[in-house]
Amino acid sequence: MNKVFQIIILFFIFSLVITSCSSAKKLTKEDTLIENEINRNDSIKNTVVNKEINDKLITSVIQSQTGNASLDSLVNAKVDEILSKLNTSKSSGDNSYNLIYDKIKRQLEFNARIAQTQDEKLAVQNNSSRLVFRDRKIPVEVIKPLSKIEKTLLILGVLAIIYIGFRILLFLRKTSGSWL
């Protein structure tokens, strides 16, 4: 029974030594794959710019000619008085107008300035393109080759196991003559 127990222990030690040594170690490396979703909205903006307007209107005021000189002078004086009271001007921002009566030239003058205007049209086009980047880990096996020192120690370990195995066999033959 003692020899059987020794053989079991030797077999256990031998199997531990054999399985613990590996020819190459496998490392795992993880690559990252990135996915992301991008939505694009394209818009087109049309702007129409109308230039400013400068307008001038001159109207001549005709003198009264009834044939009666005193009546004509009274009518003309009253027309000059009424039109002189119309002199006015207004302005707001870049917009303005004025109305002036010139007694000497007997003209009614109207000036208007209207600033430029803009008309904007916005057209939106939804283009939804999907560019996908997701954060996903992909395992990749990397086989690392053995260095010279590891190879040398591996060869020495195998030779030591073979030597110990022969020594055990010789010991067992000597102790029991009938075994092997």
Side-chain angles (χ1 to χ4, degrees):
M1 175 104 172
N2 196 9
K3 288 185 181 184
V4 175
F5 186 68
Q6 287 177 353
I7 291 174
I8 292 173
I9 290 176
L10 287 176
F11 178 74
F12 180 70
I13 292 172
F14 183 72
S15 63
L16 280 177
V17 170
I18 292 294
T19 58
S20 66
C21 294
S22 165
S23 63
K25 295 182 180 180
K26 293 180 183 178
L27 301 175
T28 58
K29 177 181 149 188
E30 293 181 346
D31 287 342
T32 303
L33 179 69
I34 300 172
E35 294 183 21
N36 192 1
E37 187 173 322
I38 297 174
N39 291 326
R40 282 185 285 178
N41 293 331
D42 293 334
S43 60
I44 299 170
K45 183 178 180 182
N46 290 332
T47 304
V48 177
V49 178
N50 297 319
K51 293 185 179 180
E52 70 178 33
I53 299 172
N54 288 320
D55 194 14
K56 186 174 193 176
L57 175 68
I58 299 175
T59 303
S60 296
V61 177
I62 299 173
Q63 291 186 356
S64 174
Q65 296 176 353
T66 60
N68 186 349
S70 66
L71 180 64
D72 287 341
S73 67
L74 281 173
V75 169
N76 288 335
K78 204 54 155 166
V79 169
D80 286 343
E81 181 185 337
I82 292 171
L83 290 178
S84 294
K85 291 181 182 178
L86 288 178
N87 287 345
T88 183
S89 68
K90 299 276 183 189
S91 86
S92 174
D94 290 338
N95 298 321
S96 64
Y97 73 88
N98 64 358
L99 181 64
I100 300 170
Y101 177 67
D102 188 358
K103 286 182 185 180
I104 298 171
K105 293 181 182 177
R106 293 199 50 88
Q107 290 180 345
L108 189 61
E109 189 175 312
F110 179 74
N111 294 312
R113 180 172 183 240
I114 301 170
Q116 73 178 10
T117 59
Q118 289 185 345
D119 184 20
E120 293 183 0
K121 293 180 183 175
L122 183 65
V124 178
Q125 298 173 349
N126 291 332
N127 291 335
S128 178
S129 64
R130 189 172 183 173
L131 180 59
V132 179
F133 297 99
R134 282 198 187 136
D135 191 12
R136 187 172 42 171
K137 306 238 177 188
I138 304 170
V140 178
E141 283 191 16
V142 178
I143 299 174
K144 180 183 168 190
L146 294 174
S147 66
K148 289 182 181 181
I149 294 173
E150 290 174 331
K151 288 179 184 177
T152 306
L153 290 175
L154 180 67
I155 292 171
L156 287 175
V158 169
L159 291 176
I161 289 172
I162 292 172
Y163 175 74
I164 291 171
F166 281 126
R167 291 294 289 177
I168 291 172
L169 284 176
L170 288 176
F171 176 74
L172 291 177
R173 275 193 183 180
K174 285 184 183 179
T175 54
S176 70
S178 62
W179 195 77
L180 295 179

